[in-house]
Amino acid sequence: MANEQQPKKMEFTIIKNNPTDGHKGFGIGSITLENVSPVIIDVIEKTAEVDIGAMHARSAVEKGIKFTTDRKDSEGGKPYWLVWVTIEQKENGPYYAGVTACEMVVNREKRRGYKILAEHVNKMDKSMKRNIMIDEMDTTSKQVLGEFLKNFNEEMWKNSSPSLHADLGFE
């Protein structure tokens, strides 16, 4: 009995490209995260960078940190924004279609951090659904994000909605 194999479990898998290309069976209902990128904004340093590790809560900022939903655990920590950016294609080229921000605080000394994982997942979903939700961000962080997106790819910036530009303070 010790050699009996456990039945394989169906696990959530991130699939590159179209998961339903060529067949109608396994993979139906799966989602692709190919056009979503996590951008980490360091509020104090006023920097922004793409860190793909954040897709699995393993960005450079998150490594070695135990996260809780209690702000007291990370008191005195450094504030960050995790911004989910979704890129879409339209007739005149690619553009920033979804942009949503989530708060994160990291106290390296204590090795503790604050974030609400459910919020991070829901905001990623909202970004994939082409929503722009950055009202919670401070003005300086919005400027940093706007400059980053503009400098990252000016064509995508120009093709993006005027409301994104306005929300980031670039009217």
Side-chain angles (χ1 to χ4, degrees):
M1 291 284 174
N3 289 347
E4 281 184 34
Q5 289 185 340
Q6 295 290 327
K8 285 189 177 181
K9 290 187 249 176
M10 182 102 133
E11 295 178 357
F12 180 77
T13 309
I14 297 173
I15 300 172
K16 188 168 172 55
N17 297 324
N18 186 349
T20 59
D21 267 356
H23 62 84
K24 296 179 173 73
F26 188 78
I28 298 290
S30 297
I31 58 171
T32 177
L33 300 178
E34 191 171 78
N35 296 331
V36 179
S37 296
V39 176
I40 305 279
I41 307 239
D42 183 323
V43 176
I44 305 297
E45 301 294 324
K46 298 179 175 82
T47 60
E49 67 179 352
V50 173
D51 190 335
I52 296 301
M55 295 293 273
H56 300 286
R58 291 195 175 110
S59 66
V61 170
E62 296 166 296
K63 282 186 181 174
I65 302 297
K66 178 177 173 31
F67 283 94
T68 68
T69 57
D70 185 358
R71 287 182 183 275
K72 291 178 190 169
D73 291 343
S74 61
E75 205 168 351
K78 194 172 186 180
Y80 293 92
W81 290 101
L82 170 57
V83 182
W84 298 107
V85 179
T86 301
I87 297 167
E88 186 62 61
Q89 187 76 25
K90 59 183 175 181
E91 59 279 346
N92 58 337
Y95 70 104
Y96 300 117
V99 180
T100 59
C102 317
E103 182 184 15
M104 199 166 40
V105 178
V106 173
N107 187 322
R108 285 257 165 238
E109 272 183 27
K110 295 180 183 178
R111 298 184 67 187
R112 294 288 180 264
Y114 166 81
K115 74 176 176 180
I116 299 173
L117 185 59
E119 177 191 19
H120 285 229
V121 173
N122 289 334
K123 291 281 180 94
M124 180 176 66
D125 180 59
K126 296 285 187 193
S127 177
M128 291 170 58
K129 291 178 178 169
R130 315 307 182 244
N131 290 300
I132 301 192
M133 302 171 74
I134 53 173
D135 296 339
E136 300 167 2
M137 291 178 76
D138 58 284
T139 306
T140 304
S141 295
K142 286 181 183 180
Q143 287 281 183
V144 169
L145 177 61
E147 287 293 331
F148 176 79
L149 294 176
K150 187 177 179 184
N151 293 334
F152 186 78
N153 188 313
E154 191 145 358
E155 178 190 3
M156 285 195 284
W157 175 256
K158 287 177 183 175
N159 291 337
S160 297
S161 74
S163 66
L164 175 63
H165 296 181
D167 287 351
L168 291 172
F170 289 81
E171 297 183 69

